[in-house]
Structure formats: structure tokens, C-alpha cells
Amino acid sequence: MKFEILAPAGSMESLIAGVRSGANAVYLGGKLFNARRNAGNFDNEELKEAVLYCHNRNVKVYLAINILISDAEMEEAYHAVKQALQAGVDAFIIQDTGLAKMIREHFPDARLHASTQMSILSPAGARFAKSLGFDRIVLPREMNLNEISEIRKSTDLELELFVHGALCMSVSGQCYLSSMLGSRSGNRGLCAQPCRLPFTSKSDPNEYALSLKDLSIIEHLDKLDGITSLKIEGRMKRPEYVSAAVTAVKKAVEGIYTATDSHNLRSVFSRSGFTDGYLTGHTGRDMFGTRQKEDVVSANEVLKTIEKNYARENPLVKMDMRFVCKKGEPCSLTAAALGKAVTVKGDIPEAALNKPITEESLVNRLSKLGGTPFYADKMEIDLDGGLILPVSKINELRRRAVEEIEKPPKITVRAKPFEKKKFTEKNSIPYFTASFKHAGQIPDRHPFRHVFIPLDSSLEDFTGNCAGVVLPRGLFGIENEMTERLNTLKKAGVTKALCGNYGSYQLARELGFEVFGDFGLNIYNSESANQINNPILSFELTLKQANRIAAQNTGVIVYGRIPLMLTRNCPVQSGAGHCANKGDCRLTDRKGYEFPVICSDYPCVELLNSVPVCLSDVMDEVKTDFAHFYFSTESKKEVEKIIRMYENGEKPDFKFTRGLYRRGTI
């Protein structure tokens, strides 16, 4: 097996620990625009130092700019990318399709990796990523072996897979719990992890219904055929954790993973152990866990032992040398490593009075590369007899050769200048659209120009309501099934599709549907909005930001219980994979707020907000082209009441929230 081992680096100390332990690549973040803004991260000078350190050890560096970027931030992001390329960064990990578009247009040589937060989890999703110029896809953690294989067979893009580290309850990029509850958005790099707090349900005694154990699939590497990169999560973790994880993965790749490695890995950090449930298809209660006292205590036993693994330089790079020592000529040393060759010249050797230098003594002296990342490989000596050269001069030649090899290269970045755009607020009177959990909620008379109902609704419901189709966001393993269903709907006259995943968007477009981008695409700026037809903009934007998005036919959700999580492991009755009582499934947090859990016949469930977003009395603030209503738990009668409220501009008489439309995210 040949894999890239990809280590997290939240600090220079962690980066060094990962590299010295055997990582082939590291990923890190700048001070801005990354999904771990609370990690130490790297400013521009530190980034240059980090890249030089890694490249001098044949290790690649990937910069994570994996958050949503606003229009106002795009120019700053441009400069951050340019500086990173000048520092020698090998690739960028990107969530925002607008940022990807900007990079592709301005920096043609940049390599792009599609972040796991893009939720690329199907062959059609891979096609979409390739159309945007991505070179690699970071797969969701929730995929099983068959689903990974399906994508591998469908694309020539590189695939990266998380093999160890923290496991979120929600599909990455589809969690809004932290932002809606406290304005700290995971999609903006400041998740507060409220999912690790107590959430309970009536049908399950587990007090932490949203807290999963950490992922570890290190013992399954032999099954990961076609994966390019093995990724370790943990940019917020200490250097010992990084070293232990890299060591474990490296040994597993080499087939020498032992019980000691497993013990060290669990001791340095775990939440009641690890889980491989998604990969193996064994979801359920065993996947859940929290950080326990014994987990913390056990770390003290192994930290000093692990620290010894990376305390000293690990010679990782071979160096070939040719030493020439001729009578009457300055001696010279040519060293070749890292694809470079340098020649340094020294003194003229003198005639030996006693013991002349020998080939053996020169090989011994030149091979002493301790404290550097190099080890001597091929050695060629061209030596005249009867000569002598001081040991200090030989050592000086070796040091100078290493210094020359380690010098940073001159980097030329091909870049198109950034042209700043002006954004003005729209002045539209929005028309109304709506999506419904089931057709029985749709009133006989309503103001909606477009109506959407779920994929598994009956043909009669589609034709009777002139409805478009809502495609599931969690497409795990169902693309073929969905394709068949869409073809059936198309023959029945259904023409519109509301798509909250890039895979479903790509597939519906290929099949000839009029596509609408749903909130799950996280459309946050004008560049991303212009790549999607009829986009419902991210509800993590303020209304002021949304109104200024420069794209055609944009919309915002003006009513509905916002889905806070999309999860593949049902938090109410995880053992069954679905809720026992589909009509009344809910979680309760430590403050007593209740959050509905919505099931479907497809692989994922949704956790909804405890109260709906409602803008019925402030619709004059909404200037987008259309306003979308997201109906979920409401009865038909309640839907009719809500429509009247919006038609009359009435303030709601129930508990509600303005969401993030005014307060925004941090």
C-alpha cells in the first residue's frame, strides 16, 4: 500500500512533531479564513518558515482556507492566496465554491482540494467538483466502503479520507447548531461544539445524544483501495497527539501496527474509545461517547514517551555526494537532494607529511549529517593520493552544501490582478416559494410561485400540486435510486428540482431539470451565487449581506425551523437507524428547549431548530428576488395561518427567532 499520510498542524510544534514522526504532508491554516480559527495557526512569515521546513524534508504543505467567504472579504482572500503561493504552498483546501472560482481565475497554477465541508459524497458530486477545477476531494467521514468505492470508480480525481480524529454528529458543512445558538459558525471557523453538551430524548437514556466517539479506521487501511491521502484530524490538538496518530498510521501502512501503538493512540486522546461505525456500516449506540476522567488521566502516562519520538531530527531525505580533491586545485563537494544539486569549493589540499586523507575517512566525515533532515546515500570520491585537508575544512564544506540545498527557492507566481467589484443592494419585491415535508401540508390556495415536495412523494401529489422535487442532502449510496426516480418524475411532467447538495444539483441538471440551489449549498457570496441557478442563499448571511449578493434570482428563507444538523446516525434511536415515533421525535437540551428530529426514507435525518425563523412583520427588509418558506412540522392549518401572517405583515403570536439575519456570525 502506498498512501500519503496527512498530518494536522495547528502550530509549528505540531508541524515538527508530525513531520519527524513520518508525515508525507501537513495541512495548516493562516490567521484568517480557516475552519480552526482558534488554533495557533500561521502568519505569513511563519507560513514561509513552515513551508521551507517541510519542503526541505520532502513534505507537502496544504493551506486550509476552508470557510465561507463574504463579498467584502474576497480581496483579502486573494492576497492571502497570493502570499501563500509565494511561500510555496502546494495546494489549498477550499469549501467555498466562490473562492475556488476566484482562485482558478486569478492563479492558474494553484491546486485545489475540495474540503469535506463541500459534502461531495456521490459520483455526480465528484463531477461537479471536477468542473470547478478541483484536483482532489476530501470525502465525508460518514461514508462506508461501498460508497467510497463507488466514487473511486467514477472519477480520476484524487481522494482523501479521514482515518483518525474527532467525529462530528453532523455531516461536515451541514451543521448550523453553533451559529444558530450562539453566532459562532462552524462554516466560518468558530464552532463552539454545543453538540458535546447534554441533549436527551424520551426514548433513549443517553445524556449526550449528539456526542460521538472519535473516528479511527487505522485497522482498515488494507480496504481503502484507491485512496490517495490518509488524513488525521486535530489542528487543535497538542504535538504529542499528532506524533502518536502519525506514528500509528505509518506503522499500519507498513503492516507493523501493534497493541502498544493502539494504546498510545487511545491514551493521548479519546472519547470513551474510538469508532469505525460509518466505514463498516455498523452505526448505532456504540458510536456515541464523551470525554471521561479516565481518558484524561491516561494521557499523562504516555505523553513523555511519545515526545521522545520527535525530540530529535529524523533524517528523511537522501543526499548524494561527490567529493573532488586534486593536487594543486581547490577541493569541491557537490551535493544532490530534493531535486537540487549544489557545488561548494574549499581550500587547496596540501601534501601529507604523515597520514594522508583516505577515501574511507572522507566518506565517514561527509556522512555525518546529524541534526539535518538528510542522510548520505550515494557517495563518490575522486581523490589524489598523498594529500591532506583539515577535518574542520571538510566539515565546513559539508555544512555549506547542506545550507545551499536548504535555501528557499525563488518562486514566481502567475497571478491576474484583482479587480474590486461594487455591490449595491437589490430593491426587489420578492415572490414566494415553498418546500413542504409532505403534500398534505399544502393549502388549496396559496401564494407560492414554486412548490417543492420530497422525492418519495406520490406521482399524484406532484401532478396535483404542480410541484417540483426536493432532493435529499444526504445522498450516501442512493444516486442510482435517485436517478431512476427522477426519470420517472420527469416523464410524469415534473420539471423543477430543489437541490441542497452539489451531487444532486449536478445530477438534476444533467437530467434536464430546472435546478434551484437549496440552503445546503452554503451560497455565501456573489461568486458562488453566480455558479448556481436560482440559489437560496446561506441563512448565515445577514439580510444586508444577502440583499447585496450580485446574482440573478436569489432567495432567502423567510420562514421555517432551520435544519441545524444533517446526521447519518439518528440521535433519538440510533440502533434502529430511524425514530420509533416519526410523528414526535425530539431532543431536549440542558435548558429545556426541544428540537424536532425529522426522519426520511433516505440515509440521513435532520435536527431542526426549537423555534422557527419568522420575518412576517419585517418583510420590507427582504430585497432578494424571492422569499422561501421551509415547512416541516406544521399542519395544513398552521401553514394557512402563516401565509395570512405574511400577507398581512403581522407579527407572529408564537415563539420565533430572526435567526442570523440581523446579528450575523462572529
Side-chain angles (χ1 to χ4, degrees):
M1 295 182 293
K2 185 172 178 60
F3 297 106
E4 173 188 88
I5 300 174
L6 178 56
S11 66
M12 193 64 186
E13 292 77 15
S14 291
L15 181 146
I16 291 171
V19 171
R20 289 184 176 178
S21 299
N24 309 111
V26 300
Y27 66 103
L28 47 77
K31 291 297 184 181
L32 298 172
F33 306 135
N34 80 88
R36 294 292 183 271
R37 283 161 61 192
N38 284 331
N41 295 316
F42 297 76
D43 63 25
N44 191 44
E45 290 305 312
E46 291 166 340
L47 181 61
K48 290 178 182 178
E49 179 187 352
V51 172
L52 183 60
Y53 180 90
C54 289
H55 283 183
N56 282 340
R57 290 153 181 81
N58 264 339
V59 173
K60 293 183 177 180
V61 179
Y62 306 142
L63 182 68
I65 313 185
N66 54 340
I67 66 167
L68 303 179
I69 305 292
S70 70
D71 282 331
E73 296 167 329
M74 196 62 76
E75 184 177 11
E76 191 174 5
Y78 167 89
H79 292 297
V81 170
K82 188 174 183 179
Q83 288 176 340
L85 288 171
Q86 290 169 337
V89 161
D90 296 284
F92 298 91
I93 305 170
I94 304 295
Q95 175 190 9
D96 191 310
T97 58
L99 176 62
K101 179 174 181 286
M102 185 276 287
I103 294 174
R104 189 178 69 246
E105 291 177 348
H106 291 82
F107 305 101
D109 300 324
R111 281 179 57 85
L112 303 180
H113 295 179
S115 168
T116 187
Q117 289 171 274
M118 281 186 67
S119 306
I120 303 296
L121 44 79
S122 68
R127 293 196 296 276
F128 183 85
K130 187 170 184 177
S131 74
L132 294 187
F134 285 98
D135 302 286
R136 177 184 293 190
I137 297 167
V138 186
L139 295 174
R141 297 164 175 85
E142 296 80 14
M143 301 186 74
N144 63 41
L145 286 167
N146 290 334
E147 292 156 359
I148 293 170
S149 178
E150 183 183 30
I151 289 189
R152 174 69 288 161
K153 293 174 183 176
S154 73
T155 184
D156 58 358
L157 295 180
E158 294 178 355
L159 300 182
E160 181 176 301
L161 182 67
F162 281 94
V163 296
H164 188 82
L167 188 60
C168 296
M169 185 67 179
S170 177
V171 175
S172 292
Q174 301 301 311
C175 184
Y176 311 97
L177 185 66
S178 180
S179 62
M180 290 299 290
L181 297 189
S183 293
R184 293 182 58 181
S185 167
N187 285 323
R188 294 279 290 159
L190 282 175
C191 179
Q193 297 189 338
C195 54
R196 301 296 181 185
L197 297 172
F199 283 84
T200 58
S201 71
K202 294 179 181 178
S203 61
D204 195 322
N206 177 34
E207 188 179 0
Y208 294 90
L210 296 177
S211 181
L212 295 177
K213 295 177 181 177
D214 278 17
L215 165 77
S216 193
I217 57 173
I218 292 173
E219 296 182 13
H220 299 286
L221 300 189
D222 59 327
K223 303 183 182 77
L224 302 181
D225 186 39
I227 296 296
T228 299
S229 182
L230 307 178
K231 188 171 193 173
I232 298 164
E233 185 277 338
R235 281 193 286 144
M236 300 286 286
K237 300 289 200 315
R238 59 195 303 163
E240 294 90 343
Y241 166 91
V242 176
S243 176
V246 170
T247 299
V249 174
K250 188 173 187 291
K251 287 189 172 183
V253 169
E254 295 171 350
I256 55 173
Y257 183 67
T258 66
T260 300
D261 301 312
S262 178
H263 171 75
N264 288 346
L265 202 54
R266 175 163 179 167
S267 296
V268 75
F269 192 91
S270 80
R271 290 182 172 90
S272 311
F274 302 123
T275 179
D276 60 8
Y278 285 133
L279 187 78
T280 59
H282 296 106
T283 57
R285 179 51 50 210
D286 288 343
M287 289 188 66
F288 290 76
T290 57
R291 188 86 166 132
Q292 301 293 322
K293 181 180 179 181
E294 52 267 31
D295 296 324
V296 178
V297 172
S298 65
N300 297 328
E301 304 172 7
V302 300
L303 291 180
K304 289 185 178 180
T305 301
I306 295 171
E307 188 178 2
K308 294 177 183 177
N309 293 341
Y310 61 91
R312 295 182 179 179
E313 185 70 69
N314 184 9
L316 300 166
V317 182
K318 70 178 182 179
M319 178 178 281
D320 298 334
M321 297 186 196
R322 184 174 188 270
F323 185 81
V324 178
C325 188
K326 296 289 187 179
K327 184 178 178 179
E329 299 176 8
C331 59
S332 67
L333 174 63
T334 299
L338 301 169
K340 297 185 285 186
V342 300
T343 298
V344 292
K345 291 189 178 293
D347 294 350
I348 298 173
E350 297 179 358
L353 297 177
N354 294 311
K355 292 182 179 180
I357 55 175
T358 64
E359 184 173 329
E360 182 180 359
S361 66
L362 284 169
V363 169
N364 181 56
R365 181 57 54 188
L366 294 172
S367 297
K368 293 190 174 188
L369 292 164
T372 78
F374 305 104
Y375 63 90
D377 192 35
K378 296 176 183 177
M379 191 80 70
E380 183 181 347
I381 307 294
D382 187 358
L383 174 66
D384 283 351
L387 300 176
I388 190 169
L389 193 68
V391 168
S392 61
K393 297 297 182 180
I394 299 171
N395 290 343
E396 182 185 350
L397 279 174
R398 187 193 63 233
R399 285 194 296 269
R400 285 170 54 201
V402 169
E403 288 173 358
E404 288 296 318
I405 287 286
E406 289 187 322
K407 281 185 178 178
K410 292 182 179 178
I411 298 173
T412 301
V413 176
R414 286 203 297 158
K416 176 183 174 183
F418 187 87
E419 295 182 10
K420 195 167 185 177
K421 299 176 182 177
K422 293 183 179 180
F423 300 97
T424 57
E425 185 172 282
K426 288 187 175 183
N427 194 26
S428 304
I429 298 175
Y431 64 88
F432 289 174
T433 66
S435 59
F436 296 86
K437 175 61 181 169
H438 57 83
Q441 297 170 293
I442 304 174
D444 297 330
R445 300 179 67 179
H446 60 73
F448 304 120
R449 183 181 298 185
H450 305 301
V451 167
F452 299 92
I453 57 178
L455 183 65
D456 56 357
S457 303
S458 70
L459 292 181
E460 291 77 11
D461 286 337
F462 279 106
T463 56
N465 292 286
C466 297
V469 57
V470 179
L471 299 184
R473 284 187 290 152
L475 303 181
F476 298 101
I478 66 167
E479 189 171 285
N480 291 336
E481 177 185 350
M482 189 170 70
T483 301
E484 291 181 9
R485 180 61 176 166
L486 285 174
N487 280 324
T488 299
L489 293 178
K490 187 177 179 182
K491 290 177 182 177
V494 178
T495 61
K496 298 177 178 63
L498 182 59
C499 312
N501 177 273
Y502 288 117
S504 64
Y505 183 89
Q506 177 75 14
L507 187 62
R509 184 171 59 179
E510 290 172 350
L511 293 175
F513 284 81
E514 181 184 357
V515 286
F516 290 72
D518 208 350
F519 66 88
L521 301 185
N522 293 317
I523 303 301
Y524 202 79
N525 55 62
S526 299
E527 295 285 9
S528 56
N530 276 294
Q531 295 180 93
I532 298 297
N533 293 336
N534 314 307
I536 294 175
L537 304 175
S538 168
F539 45 69
E540 294 189 297
L541 290 166
T542 64
L543 279 179
K544 184 176 180 180
Q545 289 174 311
N547 290 338
R548 293 169 68 88
I549 295 293
Q552 291 185 346
N553 206 37
T554 61
V556 291
I557 293 177
V558 298
Y559 174 83
R561 290 181 182 266
I562 297 297
L564 303 181
M565 278 190 176
L566 178 74
T567 176
R568 198 168 185 182
N569 204 342
C570 180
V572 174
Q573 192 171 336
S574 58
H578 58 81
C579 301
N581 180 3
K582 290 192 176 184
D584 186 26
C585 295
R586 56 193 65 239
L587 294 181
T588 305
D589 72 2
R590 69 194 192 286
K591 295 182 178 180
Y593 292 105
E594 293 187 335
F595 300 81
V597 177
I598 301 295
C599 297
S600 75
D601 294 331
Y602 297 102
C604 294
V605 300
E606 291 183 316
L607 177 73
L608 305 184
N609 201 8
S610 58
V611 295
V613 164
C614 190
L615 304 180
S616 56
D617 56 325
V618 292
M619 281 299 292
D620 59 326
E621 297 179 23
V622 180
K623 307 295 185 182
T624 53
D625 299 286
F626 67 95
H628 188 71
F629 292 70
Y630 179 88
F631 293 114
S632 54
T633 60
E634 295 84 359
S635 66
K636 184 175 181 178
K637 193 171 183 179
E638 289 170 328
V639 170
E640 291 172 337
K641 174 184 175 181
I642 290 160
I643 290 171
R644 287 195 300 272
M645 285 170 42
Y646 277 80
E647 289 177 334
N648 298 325
E650 299 172 3
K651 188 171 183 176
D653 58 0
F654 49 78
K655 290 183 178 180
F656 69 98
T657 177
R658 303 295 192 196
L660 297 164
Y661 289 139
R662 287 180 173 170
R663 57 189 166 100
T665 58
I666 297 174

